Amino acid sequence: MAKKDVSPNMRAILVDWLVKVAEEYKLHSDTLHLSISYIDRFLSMNDLNRKKLQLLGVSSMLIALKYEKINHPPVDEFCYVTDNAYTKKEVVKMEADILKHLKFEVGGPTIMTFLGYYFTVVALEDYQIPNLKLEFLGYYLAELSLLENDCVILLLALVAASVVFLSRFTIQPKLHPWSSALQDFSSYKPADLKECVPIIHDLQLSKRRGPLVASRNKYKQHEFKCISTLASPQEIPNSFFEDVKDS
């Protein structure tokens, strides 16, 4: 993307805006993640004029809503949220272009898919962690990861594993955030997460994409237990990226 008209920073701004759109229309997190996946797949195959980036965003969200068979706002509403920068005809045409380039392959997993698997493993372990709080924190960090181009190039399962690692570290910073059960289930050792975890940690600490606060504001709400206000230690001990000792 760095060589194209659309820069990683422009993409991040689009993602931040789509978080606001998704919240305004009370869309599920899965819909947001699916929308971003269409955007990234399309951009990986096409040189897009930056003036059409927002058009790509709303059209991708429309496809995600249709794929999930959710009663979606009319196309006119998607024009409205862009301040009518695009016509209904342009949205529909972009929708068709996206589907064509994706070869109508609009299914597939997202980070949220893998998070669901990993949280099931965590729930079976007796760490006395408040699971709902942990899950909300995971959803928040997963959403933050969508902002960063460095996460896009990594496997979804690895990003999800890194989110679980960082979520557990944030809630219980003195305990090793990984376990043999998670390692066996995910096939990832702590060392495998050493590249991704710091990226998401920097996002959490606002060291990356600091001005983009849509997800932060969203998860400040009481319905998400104000999870984005939860402080995380500034440093993650290197020892936590060593092999787990438990059995």
Side-chain angles (χ1 to χ4, degrees):
M1 283 176 55
K3 297 180 180 178
K4 299 182 179 182
D5 196 36
V6 177
S7 69
N9 189 55
M10 292 175 190
R11 176 196 169 278
I13 292 171
L14 173 67
V15 171
D16 187 70
W17 178 74
L18 286 174
V19 170
K20 297 176 187 176
V21 174
E23 186 178 14
E24 180 178 348
Y25 290 102
K26 305 299 180 184
L27 304 185
H28 197 274
S29 292
D30 288 333
T31 305
L32 175 65
H33 281 260
L34 206 53
S35 304
I36 305 305
S37 74
Y38 299 157
I39 291 168
D40 290 334
R41 288 167 62 192
F42 185 88
L43 289 175
S44 71
M45 296 181 286
N46 297 276
D47 289 314
L48 183 74
N49 187 302
R50 64 183 68 184
K51 293 180 180 180
K52 292 186 176 182
L53 186 58
Q54 200 175 30
L55 176 62
L56 174 64
V58 293
S59 300
S60 295
M61 186 163 280
L62 185 57
I63 293 171
L65 284 165
K66 289 180 178 179
Y67 171 74
E68 295 187 323
K69 298 181 181 179
I70 297 173
N71 290 328
H72 58 81
V75 177
D76 291 340
E77 278 291 312
F78 285 96
C79 297
Y80 172 76
V81 296
T82 67
D83 291 329
N84 293 308
Y86 312 103
T87 65
K88 180 177 179 179
K89 184 177 180 180
E90 287 176 308
V91 172
V92 173
K93 183 181 183 304
M94 176 58 80
E95 185 183 2
D97 288 344
I98 295 169
L99 290 170
K100 177 183 176 182
H101 286 285
L102 298 184
K103 298 180 180 178
F104 287 84
E105 295 174 358
V106 292
T110 66
I111 296 172
M112 297 295 289
T113 308
F114 290 100
L115 273 184
Y117 297 150
Y118 297 155
F119 281 143
T120 299
V121 175
V122 172
L124 295 174
E125 297 183 301
D126 184 18
Y127 278 87
Q128 298 182 343
I129 298 175
N131 287 332
L132 189 58
K133 187 176 180 180
L134 180 71
E135 288 184 21
F136 281 150
L137 182 55
Y139 300 157
Y140 168 55
L141 296 179
E143 204 163 282
L144 286 181
S145 75
L146 296 176
L147 293 169
E148 189 52 62
N149 205 49
D150 289 342
C151 289
V152 175
I153 61 175
L154 300 175
L155 293 174
L156 294 171
L158 188 146
V159 177
S162 300
V163 164
V164 173
F165 181 106
L166 185 55
S167 297
R168 299 182 78 182
F169 168 72
T170 300
I171 293 176
Q172 293 187 311
K174 293 185 178 180
L175 295 181
H176 198 301
W178 209 234
S179 68
S180 58
L182 281 166
Q183 181 170 302
D184 291 343
F185 185 82
S186 69
S187 298
Y188 290 121
K189 297 180 180 179
D192 299 326
L193 310 179
K194 198 170 184 178
E195 176 186 359
C196 187
V197 169
I199 295 173
I200 303 174
H201 192 219
D202 282 350
L203 288 165
Q204 184 185 22
L205 298 175
S206 297
K207 293 180 179 179
R208 291 181 181 229
R209 310 299 180 192
L212 304 179
V213 296
S215 295
R216 198 173 305 278
N217 290 337
K218 171 183 172 181
Y219 283 92
K220 276 183 181 178
Q221 299 176 62
H222 287 286
E223 65 178 296
F224 297 115
K225 296 189 176 294
C226 308
I227 204 68
S228 66
T229 64
L230 187 64
S232 177
Q234 293 287 318
E235 300 292 336
I236 302 174
N238 284 327
S239 61
F240 284 173
F241 291 104
E242 297 174 359
D243 289 349
V244 292
K245 304 297 183 182
D246 55 345
S247 59

